Amino acid sequence: MKILKVSIIIIVFLAGASALILYGFYEYNNKEKEVLTAADRKNIDGKFIKLSKGITHYQLEGPENGEVVILVHGFSVPYYIWDGTYEFLVKNGYKVLRYDMYGRGYSDRPATVYNKELYNTQLLDLITALKLQGHVNLAGISFGGELVTNFACEHPDIINKVILIDPAYEGLKPSAPRYFTLYNEGVNSNKRAKDQLNDFLYPKEHPGWVKRYLPQMEYKGFRHALVSTMYDYDQHGRQSNICLNNANKPVLLIWGEKDGTVPFRYSDSIRSVLKVDFFPVAGAAHLPSVEKPDTVNNKILSFLKQG
């Protein structure tokens, strides 16, 4: 009996010690220490607007009556991912909107489920609140490609053309329990930031990319937004692309031939069900609009001007 008591005490002690170590490791690596406030936003470029699910950070420029193009960023890199394309399209006479999805950049991080409904609501709220006139053109990169595909299927009556750049195809949920993924994102926040360089064929040509990514990680809710999206955003690539095809919208599909994030071969899967203007980009990986801006931006401009 005495041996059993001692054993239980030892087990409890080790469990407690392990928990403290894990918690300490988490706190040491966890970057989310701040709450995003109005004071923080005073020094941020762009504008802010209160929508039904929270405040959204956005930028809108171009002629008052210009044709509208909306640029939707990917899974975790906020709207600066579109810098070159945004400026290029504004200079060419388009009215261009880009924004940070909820949970990213300097938009709110609502404590909610990050699913299709949330993302579609944010985009529709923006279009409505900013009183964007006429049929809008949507461009999405990576996860943003999923989003604009699904949004165009749900609201075909307000869409003109769709541009997909290396779009995510099939959303595979993590096999680990959600709490484990949350913990893992917390203790590996530096890896999450550094891994953004894997989207480039030549990462050394983008030395400031990681540093630019880090500030958004300091605000509470970033990790929850990413993890909830992983588990709660249901995506079925073939089904979504069939739906978009049935909407009869002109679609431009751009893909970096050396993409290691969403492999180039997935373009075949999309093209098997979706009629597109296909534009492969040599010498580029997952972000051809960043690595080959002149090539990609001119193709986008040509596509927008067609018919």
Side-chain angles (χ1 to χ4, degrees), residues 155-186:
H155 303 284
D157 53 314
I158 62 172
I159 305 302
N160 182 29
K161 295 180 179 180
V162 175
I163 300 165
L164 306 175
I165 301 181
D166 296 54
Y169 183 68
E170 205 68 51
L172 299 177
K173 300 183 191 306
S175 57
R178 190 182 298 236
Y179 67 83
F180 178 84
T181 304
L182 279 165
Y183 181 85
N184 187 56
E185 286 287 333

PDB file of all heavy atoms in Angstrom, residues 155-186:
ATOM      1  N   HIS A 155     -22.875  34.049 -55.103  1.00  0.00           N
ATOM      2  CA  HIS A 155     -23.388  35.365 -55.534  1.00  0.00           C
ATOM      3  C   HIS A 155     -23.026  35.646 -56.994  1.00  0.00           C
ATOM      4  O   HIS A 155     -22.406  36.680 -57.297  1.00  0.00           O
ATOM      5  CB  HIS A 155     -22.812  36.458 -54.632  1.00  0.00           C
ATOM      6  CG  HIS A 155     -23.096  36.270 -53.174  1.00  0.00           C
ATOM      7  ND1 HIS A 155     -24.327  36.535 -52.614  1.00  0.00           N
ATOM      8  CD2 HIS A 155     -22.305  35.817 -52.162  1.00  0.00           C
ATOM      9  CE1 HIS A 155     -24.291  36.272 -51.316  1.00  0.00           C
ATOM     10  NE2 HIS A 155     -23.087  35.827 -51.019  1.00  0.00           N
ATOM     11  N   PRO A 156     -23.420  34.783 -57.907  1.00  0.00           N
ATOM     12  CA  PRO A 156     -23.041  34.981 -59.317  1.00  0.00           C
ATOM     13  C   PRO A 156     -23.621  36.246 -59.928  1.00  0.00           C
ATOM     14  O   PRO A 156     -23.066  36.786 -60.893  1.00  0.00           O
ATOM     15  CB  PRO A 156     -23.609  33.723 -59.999  1.00  0.00           C
ATOM     16  CG  PRO A 156     -24.727  33.276 -59.114  1.00  0.00           C
ATOM     17  CD  PRO A 156     -24.275  33.597 -57.733  1.00  0.00           C
ATOM     18  N   ASP A 157     -24.718  36.735 -59.367  1.00  0.00           N
ATOM     19  CA  ASP A 157     -25.394  37.910 -59.928  1.00  0.00           C
ATOM     20  C   ASP A 157     -24.588  39.194 -59.785  1.00  0.00           C
ATOM     21  O   ASP A 157     -24.885  40.182 -60.467  1.00  0.00           O
ATOM     22  CB  ASP A 157     -26.758  38.092 -59.266  1.00  0.00           C
ATOM     23  CG  ASP A 157     -26.682  38.118 -57.744  1.00  0.00           C
ATOM     24  OD1 ASP A 157     -25.995  37.255 -57.175  1.00  0.00           O
ATOM     25  OD2 ASP A 157     -27.309  39.006 -57.127  1.00  0.00           O
ATOM     26  N   ILE A 158     -23.571  39.211 -58.897  1.00  0.00           N
ATOM     27  CA  ILE A 158     -22.791  40.439 -58.729  1.00  0.00           C
ATOM     28  C   ILE A 158     -21.348  40.283 -59.227  1.00  0.00           C
ATOM     29  O   ILE A 158     -20.525  41.176 -59.038  1.00  0.00           O
ATOM     30  CB  ILE A 158     -22.782  40.909 -57.252  1.00  0.00           C
ATOM     31  CG1 ILE A 158     -22.118  39.866 -56.339  1.00  0.00           C
ATOM     32  CG2 ILE A 158     -24.177  41.227 -56.769  1.00  0.00           C
ATOM     33  CD1 ILE A 158     -21.918  40.355 -54.912  1.00  0.00           C
ATOM     34  N   ILE A 159     -21.058  39.155 -59.868  1.00  0.00           N
ATOM     35  CA  ILE A 159     -19.691  38.860 -60.311  1.00  0.00           C
ATOM     36  C   ILE A 159     -19.551  39.031 -61.812  1.00  0.00           C
ATOM     37  O   ILE A 159     -20.422  38.623 -62.582  1.00  0.00           O
ATOM     38  CB  ILE A 159     -19.287  37.421 -59.923  1.00  0.00           C
ATOM     39  CG1 ILE A 159     -19.461  37.196 -58.423  1.00  0.00           C
ATOM     40  CG2 ILE A 159     -17.842  37.140 -60.345  1.00  0.00           C
ATOM     41  CD1 ILE A 159     -18.682  38.132 -57.543  1.00  0.00           C
ATOM     42  N   ASN A 160     -18.440  39.630 -62.219  1.00  0.00           N
ATOM     43  CA  ASN A 160     -18.123  39.770 -63.634  1.00  0.00           C
ATOM     44  C   ASN A 160     -17.139  38.677 -64.057  1.00  0.00           C
ATOM     45  O   ASN A 160     -17.507  37.732 -64.736  1.00  0.00           O
ATOM     46  CB  ASN A 160     -17.547  41.158 -63.912  1.00  0.00           C
ATOM     47  CG  ASN A 160     -17.246  41.384 -65.379  1.00  0.00           C
ATOM     48  OD1 ASN A 160     -17.898  40.809 -66.254  1.00  0.00           O
ATOM     49  ND2 ASN A 160     -16.253  42.204 -65.677  1.00  0.00           N
ATOM     50  N   LYS A 161     -15.883  38.784 -63.593  1.00  0.00           N
ATOM     51  CA  LYS A 161     -14.858  37.805 -63.938  1.00  0.00           C
ATOM     52  C   LYS A 161     -14.154  37.320 -62.670  1.00  0.00           C
ATOM     53  O   LYS A 161     -14.190  37.990 -61.631  1.00  0.00           O
ATOM     54  CB  LYS A 161     -13.830  38.419 -64.899  1.00  0.00           C
ATOM     55  CG  LYS A 161     -14.404  38.807 -66.255  1.00  0.00           C
ATOM     56  CD  LYS A 161     -13.320  39.407 -67.157  1.00  0.00           C
ATOM     57  CE  LYS A 161     -13.903  39.771 -68.523  1.00  0.00           C
ATOM     58  NZ  LYS A 161     -12.864  40.354 -69.425  1.00  0.00           N
ATOM     59  N   VAL A 162     -13.503  36.162 -62.802  1.00  0.00           N
ATOM     60  CA  VAL A 162     -12.804  35.552 -61.668  1.00  0.00           C
ATOM     61  C   VAL A 162     -11.364  35.242 -62.065  1.00  0.00           C
ATOM     62  O   VAL A 162     -11.109  34.694 -63.144  1.00  0.00           O
ATOM     63  CB  VAL A 162     -13.504  34.258 -61.214  1.00  0.00           C
ATOM     64  CG1 VAL A 162     -12.708  33.567 -60.105  1.00  0.00           C
ATOM     65  CG2 VAL A 162     -14.925  34.553 -60.733  1.00  0.00           C
ATOM     66  N   ILE A 163     -10.434  35.599 -61.178  1.00  0.00           N
ATOM     67  CA  ILE A 163      -9.013  35.319 -61.398  1.00  0.00           C
ATOM     68  C   ILE A 163      -8.510  34.460 -60.242  1.00  0.00           C
ATOM     69  O   ILE A 163      -8.654  34.833 -59.073  1.00  0.00           O
ATOM     70  CB  ILE A 163      -8.200  36.627 -61.477  1.00  0.00           C
ATOM     71  CG1 ILE A 163      -8.702  37.498 -62.632  1.00  0.00           C
ATOM     72  CG2 ILE A 163      -6.709  36.326 -61.628  1.00  0.00           C
ATOM     73  CD1 ILE A 163      -8.225  38.939 -62.563  1.00  0.00           C
ATOM     74  N   LEU A 164      -7.939  33.314 -60.563  1.00  0.00           N
ATOM     75  CA  LEU A 164      -7.418  32.396 -59.554  1.00  0.00           C
ATOM     76  C   LEU A 164      -5.915  32.258 -59.738  1.00  0.00           C
ATOM     77  O   LEU A 164      -5.448  31.918 -60.828  1.00  0.00           O
ATOM     78  CB  LEU A 164      -8.080  31.014 -59.699  1.00  0.00           C
ATOM     79  CG  LEU A 164      -9.614  30.979 -59.681  1.00  0.00           C
ATOM     80  CD1 LEU A 164     -10.105  29.561 -59.971  1.00  0.00           C
ATOM     81  CD2 LEU A 164     -10.141  31.468 -58.342  1.00  0.00           C
ATOM     82  N   ILE A 165      -5.166  32.524 -58.668  1.00  0.00           N
ATOM     83  CA  ILE A 165      -3.711  32.383 -58.722  1.00  0.00           C
ATOM     84  C   ILE A 165      -3.289  31.279 -57.765  1.00  0.00           C
ATOM     85  O   ILE A 165      -3.482  31.382 -56.551  1.00  0.00           O
ATOM     86  CB  ILE A 165      -3.008  33.706 -58.358  1.00  0.00           C
ATOM     87  CG1 ILE A 165      -3.421  34.823 -59.324  1.00  0.00           C
ATOM     88  CG2 ILE A 165      -1.486  33.524 -58.389  1.00  0.00           C
ATOM     89  CD1 ILE A 165      -2.765  36.160 -59.056  1.00  0.00           C
ATOM     90  N   ASP A 166      -2.757  30.188 -58.322  1.00  0.00           N
ATOM     91  CA  ASP A 166      -2.331  29.037 -57.524  1.00  0.00           C
ATOM     92  C   ASP A 166      -3.344  28.728 -56.415  1.00  0.00           C
ATOM     93  O   ASP A 166      -3.006  28.677 -55.230  1.00  0.00           O
ATOM     94  CB  ASP A 166      -0.948  29.269 -56.914  1.00  0.00           C
ATOM     95  CG  ASP A 166       0.141  29.394 -57.971  1.00  0.00           C
ATOM     96  OD1 ASP A 166      -0.016  30.233 -58.877  1.00  0.00           O
ATOM     97  OD2 ASP A 166       1.128  28.670 -57.890  1.00  0.00           O
ATOM     98  N   PRO A 167      -4.620  28.534 -56.781  1.00  0.00           N
ATOM     99  CA  PRO A 167      -5.657  28.372 -55.759  1.00  0.00           C
ATOM    100  C   PRO A 167      -5.525  27.075 -54.986  1.00  0.00           C
ATOM    101  O   PRO A 167      -5.197  26.027 -55.553  1.00  0.00           O
ATOM    102  CB  PRO A 167      -6.944  28.381 -56.589  1.00  0.00           C
ATOM    103  CG  PRO A 167      -6.532  27.837 -57.922  1.00  0.00           C
ATOM    104  CD  PRO A 167      -5.151  28.378 -58.147  1.00  0.00           C
ATOM    105  N   ALA A 168      -5.785  27.144 -53.683  1.00  0.00           N
ATOM    106  CA  ALA A 168      -5.865  25.929 -52.886  1.00  0.00           C
ATOM    107  C   ALA A 168      -6.987  25.084 -53.467  1.00  0.00           C
ATOM    108  O   ALA A 168      -8.015  25.610 -53.915  1.00  0.00           O
ATOM    109  CB  ALA A 168      -6.140  26.270 -51.425  1.00  0.00           C
ATOM    110  N   TYR A 169      -6.813  23.771 -53.456  1.00  0.00           N
ATOM    111  CA  TYR A 169      -7.769  22.913 -54.148  1.00  0.00           C
ATOM    112  C   TYR A 169      -8.645  22.114 -53.185  1.00  0.00           C
ATOM    113  O   TYR A 169      -9.848  22.266 -53.143  1.00  0.00           O
ATOM    114  CB  TYR A 169      -7.044  21.960 -55.093  1.00  0.00           C
ATOM    115  CG  TYR A 169      -7.971  21.090 -55.904  1.00  0.00           C
ATOM    116  CD1 TYR A 169      -8.788  21.650 -56.884  1.00  0.00           C
ATOM    117  CD2 TYR A 169      -8.027  19.711 -55.693  1.00  0.00           C
ATOM    118  CE1 TYR A 169      -9.646  20.858 -57.632  1.00  0.00           C
ATOM    119  CE2 TYR A 169      -8.885  18.918 -56.443  1.00  0.00           C
ATOM    120  CZ  TYR A 169      -9.692  19.493 -57.413  1.00  0.00           C
ATOM    121  OH  TYR A 169     -10.541  18.709 -58.144  1.00  0.00           O
ATOM    122  N   GLU A 170      -8.025  21.283 -52.386  1.00  0.00           N
ATOM    123  CA  GLU A 170      -8.780  20.440 -51.460  1.00  0.00           C
ATOM    124  C   GLU A 170      -8.368  20.757 -50.035  1.00  0.00           C
ATOM    125  O   GLU A 170      -7.185  20.708 -49.702  1.00  0.00           O
ATOM    126  CB  GLU A 170      -8.511  18.958 -51.746  1.00  0.00           C
ATOM    127  CG  GLU A 170      -9.624  18.031 -51.307  1.00  0.00           C
ATOM    128  CD  GLU A 170     -10.901  18.213 -52.130  1.00  0.00           C
ATOM    129  OE1 GLU A 170     -10.850  18.201 -53.361  1.00  0.00           O
ATOM    130  OE2 GLU A 170     -11.962  18.392 -51.499  1.00  0.00           O
ATOM    131  N   GLY A 171      -9.324  21.103 -49.182  1.00  0.00           N
ATOM    132  CA  GLY A 171      -9.021  21.436 -47.793  1.00  0.00           C
ATOM    133  C   GLY A 171      -8.968  20.192 -46.927  1.00  0.00           C
ATOM    134  O   GLY A 171     -10.011  19.659 -46.535  1.00  0.00           O
ATOM    135  N   LEU A 172      -7.765  19.712 -46.633  1.00  0.00           N
ATOM    136  CA  LEU A 172      -7.607  18.525 -45.798  1.00  0.00           C
ATOM    137  C   LEU A 172      -7.467  18.948 -44.339  1.00  0.00           C
ATOM    138  O   LEU A 172      -6.565  19.706 -43.983  1.00  0.00           O
ATOM    139  CB  LEU A 172      -6.384  17.722 -46.242  1.00  0.00           C
ATOM    140  CG  LEU A 172      -6.423  17.188 -47.685  1.00  0.00           C
ATOM    141  CD1 LEU A 172      -5.117  16.480 -48.024  1.00  0.00           C
ATOM    142  CD2 LEU A 172      -7.605  16.246 -47.874  1.00  0.00           C
ATOM    143  N   LYS A 173      -8.342  18.480 -43.501  1.00  0.00           N
ATOM    144  CA  LYS A 173      -8.299  18.842 -42.087  1.00  0.00           C
ATOM    145  C   LYS A 173      -7.139  18.112 -41.398  1.00  0.00           C
ATOM    146  O   LYS A 173      -6.822  16.978 -41.743  1.00  0.00           O
ATOM    147  CB  LYS A 173      -9.616  18.476 -41.403  1.00  0.00           C
ATOM    148  CG  LYS A 173     -10.836  19.159 -41.996  1.00  0.00           C
ATOM    149  CD  LYS A 173     -12.074  18.792 -41.200  1.00  0.00           C
ATOM    150  CE  LYS A 173     -13.336  19.240 -41.907  1.00  0.00           C
ATOM    151  NZ  LYS A 173     -13.364  20.643 -42.256  1.00  0.00           N
ATOM    152  N   PRO A 174      -6.504  18.750 -40.403  1.00  0.00           N
ATOM    153  CA  PRO A 174      -5.440  18.077 -39.650  1.00  0.00           C
ATOM    154  C   PRO A 174      -5.989  16.828 -38.962  1.00  0.00           C
ATOM    155  O   PRO A 174      -7.146  16.785 -38.536  1.00  0.00           O
ATOM    156  CB  PRO A 174      -5.024  19.133 -38.617  1.00  0.00           C
ATOM    157  CG  PRO A 174      -5.463  20.437 -39.195  1.00  0.00           C
ATOM    158  CD  PRO A 174      -6.711  20.142 -39.958  1.00  0.00           C
ATOM    159  N   SER A 175      -5.160  15.818 -38.860  1.00  0.00           N
ATOM    160  CA  SER A 175      -5.585  14.578 -38.203  1.00  0.00           C
ATOM    161  C   SER A 175      -5.494  14.680 -36.688  1.00  0.00           C
ATOM    162  O   SER A 175      -6.148  13.932 -35.959  1.00  0.00           O
ATOM    163  CB  SER A 175      -4.724  13.399 -38.688  1.00  0.00           C
ATOM    164  OG  SER A 175      -3.344  13.663 -38.447  1.00  0.00           O
ATOM    165  N   ALA A 176      -4.693  15.617 -36.195  1.00  0.00           N
ATOM    166  CA  ALA A 176      -4.521  15.781 -34.750  1.00  0.00           C
ATOM    167  C   ALA A 176      -5.725  16.488 -34.136  1.00  0.00           C
ATOM    168  O   ALA A 176      -6.440  17.221 -34.813  1.00  0.00           O
ATOM    169  CB  ALA A 176      -3.255  16.587 -34.469  1.00  0.00           C
ATOM    170  N   PRO A 177      -5.964  16.280 -32.826  1.00  0.00           N
ATOM    171  CA  PRO A 177      -7.028  17.015 -32.145  1.00  0.00           C
ATOM    172  C   PRO A 177      -6.780  18.520 -32.233  1.00  0.00           C
ATOM    173  O   PRO A 177      -5.639  18.980 -32.294  1.00  0.00           O
ATOM    174  CB  PRO A 177      -6.918  16.527 -30.692  1.00  0.00           C
ATOM    175  CG  PRO A 177      -6.228  15.218 -30.778  1.00  0.00           C
ATOM    176  CD  PRO A 177      -5.292  15.322 -31.937  1.00  0.00           C
ATOM    177  N   ARG A 178      -7.843  19.290 -32.208  1.00  0.00           N
ATOM    178  CA  ARG A 178      -7.738  20.740 -32.378  1.00  0.00           C
ATOM    179  C   ARG A 178      -6.843  21.390 -31.325  1.00  0.00           C
ATOM    180  O   ARG A 178      -6.049  22.282 -31.637  1.00  0.00           O
ATOM    181  CB  ARG A 178      -9.134  21.368 -32.347  1.00  0.00           C
ATOM    182  CG  ARG A 178      -9.168  22.832 -32.755  1.00  0.00           C
ATOM    183  CD  ARG A 178     -10.572  23.398 -32.665  1.00  0.00           C
ATOM    184  NE  ARG A 178     -11.479  22.727 -33.543  1.00  0.00           N
ATOM    185  CZ  ARG A 178     -12.224  23.327 -34.485  1.00  0.00           C
ATOM    186  NH1 ARG A 178     -12.149  24.618 -34.638  1.00  0.00           N
ATOM    187  NH2 ARG A 178     -13.057  22.637 -35.239  1.00  0.00           N
ATOM    188  N   TYR A 179      -6.974  20.955 -30.063  1.00  0.00           N
ATOM    189  CA  TYR A 179      -6.174  21.569 -29.000  1.00  0.00           C
ATOM    190  C   TYR A 179      -4.686  21.357 -29.237  1.00  0.00           C
ATOM    191  O   TYR A 179      -3.856  22.208 -28.894  1.00  0.00           O
ATOM    192  CB  TYR A 179      -6.590  21.030 -27.623  1.00  0.00           C
ATOM    193  CG  TYR A 179      -6.289  19.566 -27.385  1.00  0.00           C
ATOM    194  CD1 TYR A 179      -5.033  19.145 -26.964  1.00  0.00           C
ATOM    195  CD2 TYR A 179      -7.273  18.595 -27.584  1.00  0.00           C
ATOM    196  CE1 TYR A 179      -4.754  17.802 -26.757  1.00  0.00           C
ATOM    197  CE2 TYR A 179      -6.999  17.250 -27.382  1.00  0.00           C
ATOM    198  CZ  TYR A 179      -5.731  16.859 -26.970  1.00  0.00           C
ATOM    199  OH  TYR A 179      -5.456  15.528 -26.771  1.00  0.00           O
ATOM    200  N   PHE A 180      -4.342  20.213 -29.829  1.00  0.00           N
ATOM    201  CA  PHE A 180      -2.933  19.951 -30.134  1.00  0.00           C
ATOM    202  C   PHE A 180      -2.436  20.914 -31.210  1.00  0.00           C
ATOM    203  O   PHE A 180      -1.326  21.453 -31.118  1.00  0.00           O
ATOM    204  CB  PHE A 180      -2.748  18.510 -30.602  1.00  0.00           C
ATOM    205  CG  PHE A 180      -1.332  18.177 -30.982  1.00  0.00           C
ATOM    206  CD1 PHE A 180      -0.411  17.794 -30.018  1.00  0.00           C
ATOM    207  CD2 PHE A 180      -0.914  18.270 -32.307  1.00  0.00           C
ATOM    208  CE1 PHE A 180       0.911  17.505 -30.364  1.00  0.00           C
ATOM    209  CE2 PHE A 180       0.406  17.989 -32.663  1.00  0.00           C
ATOM    210  CZ  PHE A 180       1.313  17.596 -31.682  1.00  0.00           C
ATOM    211  N   THR A 181      -3.250  21.130 -32.231  1.00  0.00           N
ATOM    212  CA  THR A 181      -2.865  22.039 -33.317  1.00  0.00           C
ATOM    213  C   THR A 181      -2.729  23.471 -32.806  1.00  0.00           C
ATOM    214  O   THR A 181      -1.808  24.196 -33.194  1.00  0.00           O
ATOM    215  CB  THR A 181      -3.895  21.976 -34.454  1.00  0.00           C
ATOM    216  OG1 THR A 181      -4.028  20.610 -34.893  1.00  0.00           O
ATOM    217  CG2 THR A 181      -3.466  22.826 -35.633  1.00  0.00           C
ATOM    218  N   LEU A 182      -3.621  23.876 -31.903  1.00  0.00           N
ATOM    219  CA  LEU A 182      -3.521  25.210 -31.303  1.00  0.00           C
ATOM    220  C   LEU A 182      -2.219  25.364 -30.522  1.00  0.00           C
ATOM    221  O   LEU A 182      -1.528  26.384 -30.625  1.00  0.00           O
ATOM    222  CB  LEU A 182      -4.714  25.456 -30.384  1.00  0.00           C
ATOM    223  CG  LEU A 182      -6.017  25.882 -31.059  1.00  0.00           C
ATOM    224  CD1 LEU A 182      -7.187  25.741 -30.099  1.00  0.00           C
ATOM    225  CD2 LEU A 182      -5.923  27.315 -31.574  1.00  0.00           C
ATOM    226  N   TYR A 183      -1.900  24.343 -29.742  1.00  0.00           N
ATOM    227  CA  TYR A 183      -0.653  24.373 -28.967  1.00  0.00           C
ATOM    228  C   TYR A 183       0.554  24.408 -29.910  1.00  0.00           C
ATOM    229  O   TYR A 183       1.495  25.190 -29.708  1.00  0.00           O
ATOM    230  CB  TYR A 183      -0.578  23.161 -28.045  1.00  0.00           C
ATOM    231  CG  TYR A 183       0.667  23.128 -27.186  1.00  0.00           C
ATOM    232  CD1 TYR A 183       0.711  23.813 -25.972  1.00  0.00           C
ATOM    233  CD2 TYR A 183       1.811  22.436 -27.598  1.00  0.00           C
ATOM    234  CE1 TYR A 183       1.857  23.809 -25.192  1.00  0.00           C
ATOM    235  CE2 TYR A 183       2.963  22.419 -26.822  1.00  0.00           C
ATOM    236  CZ  TYR A 183       2.982  23.102 -25.612  1.00  0.00           C
ATOM    237  OH  TYR A 183       4.121  23.097 -24.841  1.00  0.00           O
ATOM    238  N   ASN A 184       0.506  23.582 -30.918  1.00  0.00           N
ATOM    239  CA  ASN A 184       1.613  23.499 -31.860  1.00  0.00           C
ATOM    240  C   ASN A 184       1.841  24.827 -32.578  1.00  0.00           C
ATOM    241  O   ASN A 184       2.988  25.250 -32.777  1.00  0.00           O
ATOM    242  CB  ASN A 184       1.345  22.391 -32.879  1.00  0.00           C
ATOM    243  CG  ASN A 184       2.533  22.126 -33.781  1.00  0.00           C
ATOM    244  OD1 ASN A 184       3.629  21.849 -33.323  1.00  0.00           O
ATOM    245  ND2 ASN A 184       2.304  22.216 -35.077  1.00  0.00           N
ATOM    246  N   GLU A 185       0.749  25.497 -32.956  1.00  0.00           N
ATOM    247  CA  GLU A 185       0.883  26.811 -33.596  1.00  0.00           C
ATOM    248  C   GLU A 185       1.492  27.821 -32.632  1.00  0.00           C
ATOM    249  O   GLU A 185       2.255  28.698 -33.037  1.00  0.00           O
ATOM    250  CB  GLU A 185      -0.487  27.312 -34.071  1.00  0.00           C
ATOM    251  CG  GLU A 185      -1.020  26.620 -35.311  1.00  0.00           C
ATOM    252  CD  GLU A 185      -0.295  27.022 -36.574  1.00  0.00           C
ATOM    253  OE1 GLU A 185       0.243  28.142 -36.641  1.00  0.00           O
ATOM    254  OE2 GLU A 185      -0.270  26.209 -37.523  1.00  0.00           O
ATOM    255  N   GLY A 186       1.165  27.684 -31.341  1.00  0.00           N
ATOM    256  CA  GLY A 186       1.701  28.607 -30.350  1.00  0.00           C
ATOM    257  C   GLY A 186       3.189  28.448 -30.138  1.00  0.00           C
ATOM    258  O   GLY A 186       3.927  29.428 -30.097  1.00  0.00           O
TER     259      GLY A 186
END
